[in-house]
Amino acid sequence: MKKILVTGSNGYIGNALVLALLNRKKEFTVRAAARRGSILNSKSFETVRLGSLEESPDYVEAFKGCDVLIHCASRGSMRGHEGWLDEAALHRINVLGTVHMAREAHRAGISRFIFLSSLQVNGPETPAGKRFYADSLPRPKSPIGKALLEAEKELIRVGEETGMEIVIVRPPLIYGPDCQNLFGEVKIMVDYCLPLPLRSCKRNHRSLVGIDNLVDFLICCATHPDAANETFLVSDGEDLSTLNIFKLLAKTHHRPCLLWPFPPILVRLFNSYIGRQAWEEFFFQSQVADIHKAQLVLGWTPPLSVEQSFRRSWDENFYLGSHTSSK
């Protein structure tokens, strides 16, 4: 039976991962680690409190006895608990902090370190008809993407020096119940039946990953022997245009899809004027991840379809860990 340690366990991904692992008690024991806030229901599993990634504390005692560490605590956005982060802070948290944690994991006897990175490492967009591959040359443009790429390189170096297995996972935009990101903003638009000038946004394609599919893949990476020292892209396996995202969200929430045609150039100018670069990218650009490597190397397929994941994302009472992960 493997003992898996999950960092960032009071975050959106870490929370769901811990709950999913608890549903497989015959296969795993769980140790949940977090820096602040409450850590789920601590009566059900071991919990440890970690110091800040920026302070390089001693983690050995907290990590001892675990076989695999799944690191979900790195910073995936420019915004922190106390405001916007500069590039120096992103480097301290995502690079220096992550590398220190990996070295402490090795000292504690952990054999596999799984790093949750981001598709932003590959780049902000894919040209029409193209896609990102796990082994594509990374071309990050955002400060976060650059910091995560540097963290990946340093982790690989740690693995080569210590013999600890390093697994890197790059997801695209993650969504699910109560997600607090761009997808959550789109859900609000659909929920309130807002009429939007986006019917012409049908030529782009975007990969997404539902929280259940992502958690299932992370568990697969924790157990599959062939995941060692590999980099993987993960998604739902079906890429959607902006128009189809809105249509499917409306369908799964029993709402009308009130999109009307409007010249895309004017929408883009409006987004630029109000400073919503994230909307500009999501509505008009493509970002497609190829997951064939995950399918071929690990034999993994997304357990939930896109429509199933979209439908679950509307369920406010949905228990994130209730889906039994694929074996």
Short mmCIF file of all heavy atoms in Angstrom, two decimals, residues 190-224:
data_model
loop_
_atom_site.label_atom_id
_atom_site.label_comp_id
_atom_site.label_asym_id
_atom_site.label_seq_id
_atom_site.Cartn_x
_atom_site.Cartn_y
_atom_site.Cartn_z
N VAL A 190 -23.11 32.23 -18.37
CA VAL A 190 -24.14 31.29 -18.85
C VAL A 190 -25.27 31.19 -17.84
O VAL A 190 -26.46 31.18 -18.22
CB VAL A 190 -23.51 29.91 -19.11
CG1 VAL A 190 -24.59 28.88 -19.44
CG2 VAL A 190 -22.49 29.99 -20.24
N ASP A 191 -24.94 31.12 -16.57
CA ASP A 191 -25.95 30.97 -15.53
C ASP A 191 -26.93 32.14 -15.53
O ASP A 191 -28.14 31.95 -15.34
CB ASP A 191 -25.27 30.86 -14.17
CG ASP A 191 -26.22 30.48 -13.05
OD1 ASP A 191 -27.21 29.76 -13.33
OD2 ASP A 191 -25.99 30.89 -11.90
N TYR A 192 -26.43 33.34 -15.77
CA TYR A 192 -27.29 34.53 -15.77
C TYR A 192 -27.86 34.83 -17.16
O TYR A 192 -28.50 35.87 -17.35
CB TYR A 192 -26.52 35.73 -15.24
CG TYR A 192 -26.38 35.74 -13.74
CD1 TYR A 192 -25.29 35.14 -13.14
CD2 TYR A 192 -27.35 36.33 -12.93
CE1 TYR A 192 -25.15 35.13 -11.76
CE2 TYR A 192 -27.22 36.32 -11.55
CZ TYR A 192 -26.13 35.72 -10.96
OH TYR A 192 -26.00 35.70 -9.59
N CYS A 193 -27.64 33.92 -18.09
CA CYS A 193 -28.19 34.05 -19.45
C CYS A 193 -27.83 35.40 -20.08
O CYS A 193 -28.68 36.08 -20.68
CB CYS A 193 -29.71 33.88 -19.43
SG CYS A 193 -30.27 32.29 -18.80
N LEU A 194 -26.58 35.79 -19.94
CA LEU A 194 -26.15 37.07 -20.50
C LEU A 194 -26.05 36.98 -22.02
O LEU A 194 -25.40 36.08 -22.54
CB LEU A 194 -24.79 37.47 -19.91
CG LEU A 194 -24.73 37.68 -18.41
CD1 LEU A 194 -23.31 38.07 -18.00
CD2 LEU A 194 -25.70 38.76 -17.97
N PRO A 195 -26.67 37.90 -22.74
CA PRO A 195 -26.49 37.93 -24.20
C PRO A 195 -25.12 38.49 -24.52
O PRO A 195 -24.76 39.59 -24.10
CB PRO A 195 -27.62 38.86 -24.67
CG PRO A 195 -27.91 39.73 -23.49
CD PRO A 195 -27.62 38.93 -22.26
N LEU A 196 -24.32 37.73 -25.26
CA LEU A 196 -22.93 38.10 -25.51
C LEU A 196 -22.62 38.07 -27.00
O LEU A 196 -23.13 37.21 -27.73
CB LEU A 196 -21.99 37.14 -24.77
CG LEU A 196 -22.13 37.11 -23.25
CD1 LEU A 196 -21.39 35.92 -22.68
CD2 LEU A 196 -21.61 38.41 -22.64
N PRO A 197 -21.76 38.96 -27.48
CA PRO A 197 -21.42 39.03 -28.91
C PRO A 197 -20.32 38.05 -29.30
O PRO A 197 -19.30 38.44 -29.86
CB PRO A 197 -20.96 40.48 -29.06
CG PRO A 197 -20.30 40.78 -27.76
CD PRO A 197 -21.11 40.06 -26.72
N LEU A 198 -20.54 36.76 -29.04
CA LEU A 198 -19.46 35.78 -29.20
C LEU A 198 -19.81 34.64 -30.16
O LEU A 198 -19.09 33.65 -30.21
CB LEU A 198 -19.08 35.20 -27.84
CG LEU A 198 -18.55 36.20 -26.80
CD1 LEU A 198 -18.35 35.51 -25.45
CD2 LEU A 198 -17.26 36.85 -27.27
N ARG A 199 -20.89 34.75 -30.90
CA ARG A 199 -21.24 33.65 -31.80
C ARG A 199 -20.20 33.43 -32.89
O ARG A 199 -20.10 32.34 -33.46
CB ARG A 199 -22.62 33.91 -32.42
CG ARG A 199 -23.10 32.80 -33.34
CD ARG A 199 -24.59 32.88 -33.63
NE ARG A 199 -25.37 32.45 -32.49
CZ ARG A 199 -25.66 31.18 -32.21
NH1 ARG A 199 -25.19 30.22 -32.98
NH2 ARG A 199 -26.39 30.87 -31.17
N SER A 200 -19.42 34.45 -33.18
CA SER A 200 -18.39 34.31 -34.22
C SER A 200 -17.12 33.64 -33.71
O SER A 200 -16.21 33.36 -34.50
CB SER A 200 -18.04 35.69 -34.80
OG SER A 200 -19.18 36.31 -35.36
N CYS A 201 -17.06 33.34 -32.41
CA CYS A 201 -15.85 32.73 -31.83
C CYS A 201 -15.91 31.21 -31.99
O CYS A 201 -16.05 30.47 -31.00
CB CYS A 201 -15.73 33.11 -30.36
SG CYS A 201 -15.61 34.88 -30.06
N LYS A 202 -15.81 30.74 -33.20
CA LYS A 202 -15.98 29.32 -33.47
C LYS A 202 -14.82 28.70 -34.23
O LYS A 202 -14.87 27.51 -34.58
CB LYS A 202 -17.27 29.10 -34.25
CG LYS A 202 -17.36 29.88 -35.56
CD LYS A 202 -18.73 29.74 -36.20
CE LYS A 202 -18.83 30.54 -37.49
NZ LYS A 202 -20.18 30.45 -38.08
N ARG A 203 -13.77 29.46 -34.46
CA ARG A 203 -12.64 28.93 -35.24
C ARG A 203 -11.48 28.48 -34.35
O ARG A 203 -10.59 27.80 -34.82
CB ARG A 203 -12.15 29.98 -36.24
CG ARG A 203 -13.15 30.27 -37.36
CD ARG A 203 -12.53 31.17 -38.42
NE ARG A 203 -13.44 31.37 -39.54
CZ ARG A 203 -14.35 32.31 -39.60
NH1 ARG A 203 -14.46 33.18 -38.60
NH2 ARG A 203 -15.14 32.44 -40.65
N ASN A 204 -11.49 28.88 -33.10
CA ASN A 204 -10.40 28.47 -32.21
C ASN A 204 -10.72 27.12 -31.57
O ASN A 204 -11.85 26.64 -31.62
CB ASN A 204 -10.17 29.52 -31.11
CG ASN A 204 -11.33 29.61 -30.14
OD1 ASN A 204 -12.48 29.42 -30.50
ND2 ASN A 204 -11.03 29.92 -28.89
N HIS A 205 -9.73 26.50 -30.98
CA HIS A 205 -9.91 25.24 -30.26
C HIS A 205 -9.09 25.30 -28.97
O HIS A 205 -7.92 25.70 -28.99
CB HIS A 205 -9.46 24.05 -31.10
CG HIS A 205 -10.36 23.77 -32.25
ND1 HIS A 205 -10.21 24.39 -33.46
CD2 HIS A 205 -11.44 22.94 -32.36
CE1 HIS A 205 -11.15 23.96 -34.29
NE2 HIS A 205 -11.91 23.09 -33.65
N ARG A 206 -9.72 24.89 -27.89
CA ARG A 206 -9.04 24.93 -26.59
C ARG A 206 -9.18 23.60 -25.89
O ARG A 206 -10.26 23.00 -25.85
CB ARG A 206 -9.62 26.04 -25.70
CG ARG A 206 -9.44 27.44 -26.26
CD ARG A 206 -9.60 28.49 -25.19
NE ARG A 206 -8.51 28.49 -24.25
CZ ARG A 206 -7.36 29.15 -24.42
NH1 ARG A 206 -7.15 29.85 -25.52
NH2 ARG A 206 -6.41 29.11 -23.50
N SER A 207 -8.06 23.13 -25.32
CA SER A 207 -8.09 21.96 -24.45
C SER A 207 -8.43 22.41 -23.04
O SER A 207 -7.95 23.44 -22.57
CB SER A 207 -6.73 21.25 -24.45
OG SER A 207 -6.42 20.73 -25.72
N LEU A 208 -9.23 21.62 -22.36
CA LEU A 208 -9.58 21.84 -20.96
C LEU A 208 -9.41 20.52 -20.23
O LEU A 208 -9.35 19.47 -20.85
CB LEU A 208 -11.04 22.32 -20.83
CG LEU A 208 -11.48 23.54 -21.64
CD1 LEU A 208 -12.99 23.70 -21.57
CD2 LEU A 208 -10.79 24.80 -21.13
N VAL A 209 -9.38 20.58 -18.90
CA VAL A 209 -9.37 19.33 -18.14
C VAL A 209 -10.26 19.50 -16.92
O VAL A 209 -10.10 20.43 -16.13
CB VAL A 209 -7.94 18.90 -17.75
CG1 VAL A 209 -7.28 19.89 -16.80
CG2 VAL A 209 -7.97 17.50 -17.15
N GLY A 210 -11.23 18.60 -16.79
CA GLY A 210 -12.09 18.57 -15.61
C GLY A 210 -11.31 18.09 -14.40
O GLY A 210 -10.38 17.28 -14.52
N ILE A 211 -11.70 18.56 -13.23
CA ILE A 211 -10.97 18.23 -12.02
C ILE A 211 -10.92 16.72 -11.78
O ILE A 211 -9.90 16.19 -11.34
CB ILE A 211 -11.57 18.98 -10.80
CG1 ILE A 211 -10.73 18.76 -9.55
CG2 ILE A 211 -13.02 18.58 -10.58
CD1 ILE A 211 -9.37 19.38 -9.59
N ASP A 212 -11.99 16.00 -12.09
CA ASP A 212 -11.99 14.55 -11.90
C ASP A 212 -10.98 13.86 -12.80
O ASP A 212 -10.27 12.95 -12.38
CB ASP A 212 -13.39 13.98 -12.16
CG ASP A 212 -14.38 14.36 -11.08
OD1 ASP A 212 -14.35 13.74 -10.01
OD2 ASP A 212 -15.17 15.29 -11.31
N ASN A 213 -10.94 14.29 -14.06
CA ASN A 213 -9.98 13.69 -14.99
C ASN A 213 -8.54 14.00 -14.58
O ASN A 213 -7.65 13.14 -14.67
CB ASN A 213 -10.25 14.19 -16.41
CG ASN A 213 -11.50 13.57 -17.01
OD1 ASN A 213 -11.94 12.51 -16.58
ND2 ASN A 213 -12.07 14.25 -18.00
N LEU A 214 -8.30 15.21 -14.13
CA LEU A 214 -6.95 15.58 -13.70
C LEU A 214 -6.52 14.75 -12.49
O LEU A 214 -5.41 14.21 -12.44
CB LEU A 214 -6.89 17.06 -13.36
CG LEU A 214 -5.55 17.55 -12.79
CD1 LEU A 214 -4.41 17.31 -13.76
CD2 LEU A 214 -5.64 19.03 -12.41
N VAL A 215 -7.40 14.64 -11.51
CA VAL A 215 -7.08 13.87 -10.30
C VAL A 215 -6.82 12.41 -10.65
O VAL A 215 -5.90 11.78 -10.14
CB VAL A 215 -8.22 14.01 -9.28
CG1 VAL A 215 -8.15 12.93 -8.22
CG2 VAL A 215 -8.17 15.39 -8.63
N ASP A 216 -7.64 11.85 -11.53
CA ASP A 216 -7.44 10.47 -11.95
C ASP A 216 -6.07 10.30 -12.60
O ASP A 216 -5.37 9.30 -12.36
CB ASP A 216 -8.54 10.09 -12.94
CG ASP A 216 -8.52 8.62 -13.30
OD1 ASP A 216 -9.12 7.83 -12.56
OD2 ASP A 216 -7.89 8.26 -14.32
N PHE A 217 -5.66 11.28 -13.40
CA PHE A 217 -4.36 11.17 -14.07
C PHE A 217 -3.22 11.29 -13.07
O PHE A 217 -2.21 10.58 -13.18
CB PHE A 217 -4.23 12.26 -15.14
CG PHE A 217 -2.96 12.15 -15.93
CD1 PHE A 217 -2.77 11.11 -16.82
CD2 PHE A 217 -1.93 13.06 -15.76
CE1 PHE A 217 -1.60 10.98 -17.54
CE2 PHE A 217 -0.75 12.95 -16.48
CZ PHE A 217 -0.58 11.90 -17.37
N LEU A 218 -3.34 12.16 -12.09
CA LEU A 218 -2.29 12.30 -11.08
C LEU A 218 -2.11 11.00 -10.29
O LEU A 218 -0.98 10.60 -9.98
CB LEU A 218 -2.62 13.45 -10.13
CG LEU A 218 -2.53 14.86 -10.74
CD1 LEU A 218 -3.04 15.90 -9.74
CD2 LEU A 218 -1.10 15.19 -11.17
N ILE A 219 -3.22 10.34 -9.98
CA ILE A 219 -3.14 9.06 -9.27
C ILE A 219 -2.48 8.01 -10.16
O ILE A 219 -1.67 7.20 -9.69
CB ILE A 219 -4.53 8.61 -8.81
CG1 ILE A 219 -5.08 9.58 -7.76
CG2 ILE A 219 -4.49 7.19 -8.24
CD1 ILE A 219 -6.51 9.30 -7.34
N CYS A 220 -2.79 8.03 -11.45
CA CYS A 220 -2.15 7.12 -12.39
C CYS A 220 -0.63 7.36 -12.41
O CYS A 220 0.16 6.42 -12.39
CB CYS A 220 -2.75 7.31 -13.78
SG CYS A 220 -2.05 6.25 -15.06
N CYS A 221 -0.23 8.63 -12.42
CA CYS A 221 1.21 8.96 -12.42
C CYS A 221 1.89 8.53 -11.13
O CYS A 221 3.09 8.25 -11.12
CB CYS A 221 1.39 10.47 -12.61
SG CYS A 221 1.04 11.04 -14.28
N ALA A 222 1.13 8.47 -10.04
CA ALA A 222 1.71 8.08 -8.76
C ALA A 222 1.98 6.58 -8.68
O ALA A 222 2.81 6.13 -7.89
CB ALA A 222 0.78 8.49 -7.62
N THR A 223 1.30 5.82 -9.51
CA THR A 223 1.37 4.36 -9.39
C THR A 223 2.01 3.66 -10.58
O THR A 223 2.57 2.57 -10.43
CB THR A 223 -0.04 3.78 -9.19
OG1 THR A 223 -0.87 4.17 -10.30
CG2 THR A 223 -0.68 4.30 -7.91
N HIS A 224 1.93 4.24 -11.76
CA HIS A 224 2.40 3.55 -12.96
C HIS A 224 3.93 3.58 -13.05
O HIS A 224 4.53 4.67 -13.01
CB HIS A 224 1.79 4.18 -14.21
CG HIS A 224 1.79 3.28 -15.39
ND1 HIS A 224 2.95 2.82 -16.00
CD2 HIS A 224 0.76 2.73 -16.10
CE1 HIS A 224 2.63 2.05 -17.01
NE2 HIS A 224 1.32 1.97 -17.10
#
